[in-house]
Amino acid sequence: MTNVDLGAELEAARRGRFAITSRRGSADALSLDAAYELARDLERERISGGWRQAGWKLGFTNQAIWSRLGLDSPIRARIYHETLCSGDLDGAFLVQPRIEPEIVVGFGVDVPQGSDLDVIAAAVEWVAAGLEVVQCHFEHWEMTPAEAVADAGVHAALAIGPRAEANPRAIRSLEFASCQLLLDGTLIASGIGADVLGGPLIALHWLLREVQEGLHAGEIVTTGTLTQALALEPGQLWEHRLRASIALEPVQLRIS
């Protein structure tokens, strides 16, 4: 099976809302370079269909799992205005959905590729708690990181809480932010900002080494999950409480 075949198979899975078998361990396993080519094909297709780019998501930012996955860096994928949500989300159209608490940032000015930490910190206009819903079109979530890239970075939706105005000192201190993930009012997972590649600012620094066009004013970046991804079901109410050096309000998402 060629990479073109896999792209077509994934497109059919997205349209039909079903899962396919991973190529993991086979002779024609997908490479990361080929996966990013498939991701660019999907990006062009979505833009031609009227989708509007909103920014980026980072995945696999927990370095503790890299050796098991054969990684030496995170992955990145586009997010779109069409995948932003608030309040409620219909889970019936998602395949094997899970939820992840995130730190989300928004840029106030353009930032060129290769910018240093000081420039990046000064460019961030706001911070918010986020809940990203991810989905997987590979059976049982068994896939390679490259296949995750090809599968739209497993991104399905993003809920962003109230935005708090940021400053460089606050952005640097996000590595000490603490996360609480609640399901129907009960705490079920927690994490800290340093779990994301050592801190969200470091994650942004990595992204700006990878993205040739840099980041632009108005773009959003969700910097990686602060806990493991957890399965979601209709009727649930999820809440992410994020405590940082600046006051941040929680974000909630109800699954219908």
Side-chain angles (χ1 to χ4, degrees):
M1 182 185 292
T2 67
N3 295 332
V4 173
D5 293 333
L6 179 60
E9 195 173 351
L10 276 171
E11 180 58 25
R14 281 190 287 267
R15 292 181 182 278
R17 299 194 292 274
F18 60 84
I20 63 176
T21 302
S22 171
R23 296 186 189 182
R24 182 175 57 180
S26 69
D28 57 355
L30 188 68
S31 70
L32 266 177
D33 286 343
Y36 279 116
E37 278 298 324
L38 288 176
R40 283 187 283 272
D41 290 343
L42 177 61
E43 181 180 343
R44 285 189 286 267
E45 177 186 326
R46 287 180 165 177
I47 291 172
S48 67
W51 286 41
R52 298 161 296 150
Q53 296 171 347
W56 295 91
K57 69 154 285 182
L58 300 180
F60 300 116
T61 51
N62 187 335
Q63 292 172 278
I65 65 172
W66 284 1
S67 60
R68 176 167 56 85
L69 296 173
L71 279 173
D72 59 7
S73 70
I75 66 168
R76 65 190 187 277
R78 277 290 187 185
I79 58 175
Y80 300 86
H81 288 281
E82 287 71 21
T83 62
L84 302 183
C85 65
S86 62
D88 295 272
L89 180 67
D90 186 352
F93 298 97
L94 303 177
V95 176
Q96 305 180 106
R98 297 181 180 181
I99 198 161
E100 301 176 339
E102 307 260 349
I103 295 174
V104 185
V105 303
F107 282 84
V109 298
D110 293 352
V111 189
Q113 183 185 31
S115 293
D116 63 26
L117 296 174
D118 289 338
V119 170
I120 298 168
V124 175
E125 184 177 37
W126 57 264
V127 181
L131 284 169
E132 184 185 13
V133 176
V134 291
Q135 64 175 341
C136 181
H137 294 92
F138 291 94
E139 295 169 349
H140 313 298
W141 276 86
E142 294 177 357
M143 61 184 170
T144 66
E147 288 171 336
V149 169
D151 193 13
V154 300
H155 174 74
L158 176 65
I160 304 173
R163 302 173 179 189
E165 185 177 346
N167 58 64
R169 183 175 180 180
I171 299 304
R172 286 186 172 278
S173 69
L174 285 175
E175 65 180 288
F176 304 110
S178 63
C179 152
Q180 292 183 325
L181 181 63
L182 294 88
L183 170 57
D184 297 328
T186 300
L187 177 66
I188 58 169
S190 60
I192 60 172
D195 293 336
V196 176
L197 207 63
L201 181 57
I202 298 173
L204 294 169
H205 187 243
W206 174 83
L207 179 62
L208 275 159
R209 292 201 305 270
E210 300 295 314
V211 179
Q212 290 185 353
E213 65 268 33
L215 296 174
H216 303 294
E219 283 198 297
I220 294 165
V221 178
T222 181
T223 54
T225 185
L226 298 163
T227 71
Q228 64 178 339
L230 297 169
L232 54 79
E233 297 178 359
Q236 294 176 333
L237 176 64
W238 292 88
E239 181 177 4
H240 177 198
R241 298 175 183 172
L242 183 61
R243 293 182 172 85
S245 62
I246 52 176
L248 294 169
E249 296 183 40
V251 57
Q252 292 186 337
L253 187 64
R254 184 175 297 280
I255 309 302
S256 59

